[in-house]
Amino acid sequence: AEEKDPEDLAALDVTETEKPTEYSVPVAIDDPQHQRHLENFFAAVRGEARLRCPGEIGLAALVSARKAMESAAAGGKVALEARDFAL
């Protein structure tokens, strides 16, 4: 059999790592992921509550997440500019 050049072989590290420390969360959240946010939003629309997350904060979170996705797609850095956060 022909010997293969080590440079042509794929390398795979199967070293077992130490098991991470387990942490328990003292509360259980059984509601669907966005239920509490939506309940608060609709209560605010009806005038029964104040928004827990103001629109400006929601916009900043959305812009930041979108820029992170653009950066990942581009495979590099993308610029964050003040105009990206303008209403």
Side-chain angles (χ1 to χ4, degrees):
E2 184 179 329
E3 238 181 82
K4 294 188 177 184
D5 183 3
E7 294 292 324
D8 294 337
L9 300 176
L12 177 64
D13 183 358
V14 292
T15 305
E16 188 172 333
T17 59
E18 184 178 325
K19 185 177 178 180
T21 305
E22 291 185 27
Y23 296 96
S24 62
V25 179
V27 295
I29 300 175
D30 298 323
D31 298 336
Q33 187 174 4
H34 292 90
Q35 181 175 340
R36 291 180 183 189
H37 175 76
L38 291 172
E39 287 173 352
N40 172 249
F41 174 77
F42 291 120
V45 169
R46 290 189 299 265
E48 301 168 357
R50 292 188 59 178
L51 284 175
R52 291 188 188 133
C53 178
E56 297 82 6
I57 302 298
L59 175 65
L62 177 68
V63 169
S64 300
R66 183 166 184 225
K67 288 292 189 173
M69 291 188 300
E70 287 178 16
S71 175
K77 296 179 182 180
V78 294
L80 284 171
E81 299 180 21
R83 64 184 162 94
D84 295 330
F85 298 90
L87 295 175

